[in-house]
Amino acid sequence: MGIIQIACIGVMGTLLALQFKSTKNEYGIYLGIAVSLVLFFSMSKKLSIIVDTINTISGLIQVDKAYIEAILKMLGVAYIAEFASGICRDAGYQTISSQIEIFAKLTILALSMPILKALLLTIQEFLS
């Protein structure tokens, strides 16, 4: 799907959800989640292009696969956390949304520690 189609789906879903919000608020929330899922899975097709390109680049510059996998995991954590956080925020649960964001940040930090360690070891080798 192109950006125009995605934008139309998003705007139409939002307008429909607003119509339900005045009478049946929960239907608006369900509709928002459904539209968000459609958009998320449409976006995931684009992510495969990014993953293929990163794998091609890693083959050209001889980077350890573990580092590439860690970066891709961090990217996935960020996207999924933003998606879940947005749904919770739209439903009126800002506290849960904030907790998801904090957990995602800590997860990304934990995933980045081996990369940071390898970088510091490389710097130490150059200095000695």
Side-chain angles (χ1 to χ4, degrees):
M1 277 193 232
I3 186 64
I4 294 175
Q5 294 167 328
I6 294 296
C8 288
I9 290 171
V11 170
M12 296 305 272
T14 301
L15 292 175
L16 283 171
L18 285 174
Q19 291 297 319
F20 284 120
K21 194 169 189 171
S22 61
T23 57
K24 296 279 191 175
N25 190 27
E26 62 274 4
Y27 291 156
I29 292 171
Y30 296 147
L31 184 62
I33 291 171
V35 169
S36 295
L37 286 172
V38 168
L39 296 179
F40 181 77
F41 287 118
S42 296
M43 177 184 53
S44 67
K45 292 177 186 175
K46 303 286 184 185
L47 290 177
S48 67
I49 295 170
I50 295 170
V51 170
D52 291 341
T53 304
I54 290 174
N55 285 332
T56 302
I57 291 171
S58 71
L60 295 173
I61 59 174
Q62 301 302 322
V63 176
D64 190 6
K65 288 273 190 195
Y67 301 138
I68 299 297
E69 288 175 5
I71 290 171
L72 291 175
K73 285 179 185 178
M74 287 185 259
L75 181 67
V77 167
Y79 279 127
I80 291 170
E82 183 69 26
F83 177 75
S85 174
I87 288 176
C88 292
R89 188 173 292 115
D90 288 345
Y93 294 99
Q94 284 80 13
T95 305
I96 295 173
S97 172
S98 298
Q99 294 299 317
I100 291 171
E101 290 172 356
I102 290 170
F103 184 80
K105 289 173 187 175
L106 290 174
T107 302
I108 290 171
L109 183 63
L111 287 170
S112 68
M113 285 298 125
I115 296 171
L116 180 62
K117 182 179 175 183
L119 177 64
L120 291 175
L121 289 174
T122 303
I123 291 171
Q124 185 179 21
E125 285 179 20
F126 284 134
L127 293 176
S128 50

